[in-house]
Amino acid sequence: MISEFFVLSSRGDKIIYRNLKKEIKHNSPEILFRKLKFSETDCPPIFNEDGINYVFVNLKEIYFCCTSISNISSSFVLELIYRMIEIIKDYCQDINEQILRKNNLLIYELVDELIDYGLPQQTVSLQLDKFICSTPIQKQDLQKSLKKISKKTKEKIKNKKPTLLITFGETQCVEIKKDGEIIRNEVMGKITMDNQVKESTDLTIEFKPFLLGKDVQNKYRYTDTMIEDILINIPCNSNNLQKPSPYVYIPRLPFGHYTFMNYRTSGSKIIKPFLFSINVATFTKNKIDLVVTLKSTYLKKFFGPVTVEIPTPEDALSVSSTLSDNVGQKVVFNSKKRKIIWNFEKLNGGRDETLEAGIILRSGIENLKKVRSQLGPLSLTYNLPKFSLSGFDISRVSSSNMKRFPNIIRNLNIFSRSNSYIVHF
């Protein structure tokens, strides 16, 4: 299945390399590095070169890659790579080149336990402990060797409490027609847990009321939130999810970092955090005037970053731009990608922000229909803290063993983002 696993630095050095099936004779790390650094376009995370399938993840300019000559599921391999990264984080607390090099032997042990002759095996940190002999060198240990630690820092490390961090993240995909009709409005959510308490404990997670499934008759019986699909990835009792007060009971909470739940929802009830008004006009033979107005329906005073990208025609030579407010925002024209990029470091919710752009064309607009078809669509990326687009949320987290484990800190981190917010014009 998986032929090789390797980790490359930003300079192309092999930090980790394991040839699992010894069936690839090419220098795969060098091929990947050349593809990353010398390709004219951005290298896709999944590609085929000389009959070899490459699947890689870029984390802080460190590249985790699996190769295979088999036609295997790319999403499966990506999930495996992400699980391997999280397991390394469980042992080493952080990932950077220095930590990976210092823990070289430990990581080789983990790879050998995670993948056996190309086949994925155990991917739960707590169950790997009994097979791992090396002691991890963590970030704080590296700092000790570089400089002396103050008394306050020593006390912090000594008194550091084990934590249970729950991260609740949603990713929105939106596509809107020129006339404002919504083609797609979908949210894919993921709840991840980072449990640093090795002692066994149970956990009860209570959710705000929602309806599970596609029962149209009872769709809004007791809530406006409709979840279409739910996938729970760890053993638990989920029989009470469809009750008016839904909850999940986990009898034994796994140790480490892992995805607890994936879910999906779609429809008109999902919030659209941004609205656009777009006007295109032609005033001269070689100039197109574009006016874009953005309004945030997310009413927090300041948030960001937010990026708006507008593809321009192939003949675009330059772009002159004017902003309604220059504070916390800027516009650049990327001539290589042929895009107008409108960046907000901080955006004030509830206000209208306007961009006026004059696009100068090299060869004029004799073929206006062709030039107009190459303009747009507008795409938006954003990150909204402490906000749930779907309305799906956790109301309470509890455990019967909290008295036995008083040092557990329960943190809940909520955010929403989008890398696919498309507006046609």
Side-chain angles (χ1 to χ4, degrees):
M1 183 178 280
I2 297 171
S3 303
E4 297 172 304
F5 172 77
F6 55 86
V7 182
L8 296 184
S9 70
S10 57
R11 302 177 304 279
D13 302 330
K14 288 187 285 189
I15 303 173
I16 302 292
Y17 178 79
R18 182 67 86 200
N19 194 338
L20 301 164
K21 299 183 72 175
K22 304 190 185 302
E23 60 188 3
I24 295 179
K25 296 181 181 179
H26 296 70
N27 190 353
S28 303
E30 183 179 348
I31 293 172
L32 174 62
F33 182 70
R34 288 183 178 276
K35 189 89 172 175
L36 288 165
K37 297 301 178 182
F38 303 113
S39 178
E40 294 182 358
T41 58
D42 293 337
C43 180
I46 302 161
F47 65 92
N48 183 284
E49 187 81 18
D50 296 329
I52 302 172
N53 299 310
Y54 291 79
V55 182
F56 73 90
V57 171
N58 180 3
L59 179 68
K60 301 177 184 177
E61 295 300 315
I62 298 173
Y63 302 95
F64 296 79
C65 180
C66 286
T67 64
S68 175
I69 61 173
S70 306
N71 185 18
I72 59 176
S73 169
S74 301
S75 59
F76 174 80
V77 179
L78 279 172
E79 182 65 26
L80 175 64
I81 294 173
Y82 280 117
R83 285 296 306 132
M84 295 175 79
I85 290 171
E86 296 303 337
I87 287 171
I88 293 171
K89 279 185 180 178
D90 288 340
Y91 278 86
C92 304
Q93 291 187 348
D94 195 7
I95 288 184
N96 57 45
E97 186 176 341
Q98 186 183 20
I99 286 175
L100 291 176
R101 290 190 185 280
K102 291 290 184 181
N103 290 282
N104 194 277
L105 183 59
L106 168 68
I107 295 170
Y108 273 112
E109 283 190 63
L110 289 171
V111 172
D112 290 340
E113 296 299 332
L114 286 164
I115 308 174
D116 182 20
Y117 196 65
L119 298 174
Q121 304 296 312
Q122 183 57 254
T123 58
V124 179
S125 301
L126 190 60
Q127 296 183 11
L128 288 170
D129 272 354
K130 53 189 174 186
F131 304 111
I132 304 301
C133 301
S134 301
T135 302
I137 301 172
Q138 297 178 346
K139 188 176 181 179
Q140 61 199 40
D141 298 324
L142 292 174
Q143 291 174 345
K144 284 181 183 179
S145 63
L146 294 174
K147 61 181 180 180
K148 293 182 179 179
I149 299 178
S150 64
K151 288 183 179 179
K152 288 184 179 179
T153 309
K154 285 181 179 179
E155 288 176 4
K156 284 182 181 178
I157 294 172
K158 185 177 179 181
N159 299 326
K160 187 178 179 182
K161 298 178 181 180
T163 59
L164 170 61
L165 176 64
I166 301 175
T167 303
F168 194 105
E170 293 188 334
T171 303
Q172 185 178 31
C173 294
V174 177
E175 189 172 0
I176 304 173
K177 283 185 178 181
K178 183 179 178 180
D179 58 3
E181 181 185 349
I182 298 173
I183 303 172
R184 181 187 185 193
N185 190 6
E186 184 176 82
V187 166
M188 286 159 286
K190 181 167 71 171
I191 302 175
T192 59
M193 291 188 178
D194 187 3
N195 176 27
Q196 298 301 322
V197 184
K198 291 190 176 182
E199 294 88 348
S200 173
T201 183
D202 68 331
L203 199 71
T204 301
I205 301 177
E206 299 176 23
F207 298 96
K208 291 183 178 178
F210 68 93
L211 188 64
L212 178 61
K214 297 183 178 181
D215 187 354
V216 178
Q217 294 179 351
N218 297 326
K219 187 171 182 178
Y220 302 115
R221 185 176 64 239
Y222 49 81
T223 178
D224 284 344
T225 304
M226 171 94 172
I227 304 299
E228 296 177 359
D229 298 299
I230 282 185
L231 174 64
I232 299 176
N233 302 301
I234 63 173
C236 65
N237 183 353
S238 59
N239 296 332
N240 298 294
L241 271 179
Q242 299 193 52
K243 292 186 176 181
S245 299
Y247 68 91
V248 169
Y249 176 70
I250 307 168
R252 183 174 181 180
L253 188 67
F255 173 77
H257 191 285
Y258 47 88
T259 299
F260 161 62
M261 178 188 289
N262 298 87
Y263 64 91
R264 183 179 67 87
T265 183
S266 62
S268 59
K269 290 288 180 179
I270 297 173
I271 297 169
K272 296 189 294 297
F274 298 95
L275 301 175
F276 286 93
S277 173
I278 303 168
N279 183 34
V280 181
T282 306
F283 287 96
T284 63
K285 291 182 179 180
N286 66 337
K287 183 181 178 184
I288 298 175
D289 280 4
L290 175 68
V291 180
V292 179
T293 302
L294 177 152
K295 182 174 183 178
S296 168
T297 59
Y298 178 64
L299 299 178
K300 189 174 180 180
K301 188 173 182 181
F302 292 110
F303 63 94
V306 176
T307 302
V308 179
E309 294 187 358
I310 307 170
T312 61
E314 293 177 359
D315 289 341
L317 187 62
S318 63
V319 175
S320 60
S321 59
T322 305
L323 294 171
S324 57
D325 186 358
N326 291 320
V327 179
Q329 55 180 298
K330 63 179 181 178
V331 177
V332 295
F333 173 58
N334 189 321
S335 57
K336 185 178 179 181
K337 294 183 177 180
R338 301 291 179 193
K339 285 183 178 181
I340 300 170
I341 302 175
W342 186 12
N343 283 316
F344 295 86
E345 292 179 8
K346 288 185 178 180
L347 185 60
N348 197 341
R351 284 184 51 185
D352 290 357
E353 303 290 349
T354 302
L355 164 67
E356 297 180 6
I359 304 170
I360 307 298
L361 304 175
R362 184 180 289 106
S363 59
I365 54 173
E366 287 80 10
N367 191 348
L368 182 59
K369 189 175 181 181
K370 179 182 177 182
V371 172
R372 183 67 180 81
S373 67
Q374 293 175 351
L375 184 60
L378 177 150
S379 62
L380 172 75
T381 59
Y382 66 80
N383 198 334
L384 306 179
K386 299 179 181 179
F387 187 63
S388 172
L389 292 160
S390 65
F392 186 52
D393 205 351
I394 294 174
S395 59
R396 188 168 175 262
V397 180
S398 60
S399 172
S400 61
N401 294 332
M402 284 299 175
K403 292 182 179 179
R404 290 179 55 198
F405 305 106
N407 290 333
I408 295 179
I409 303 172
R410 288 160 289 163
N411 296 320
L412 183 60
N413 180 27
I414 302 174
F415 67 91
S416 298
R417 63 186 177 191
S418 178
N419 294 321
S420 180
Y421 198 110
I422 307 297
V423 182
H424 296 273
F425 59 88

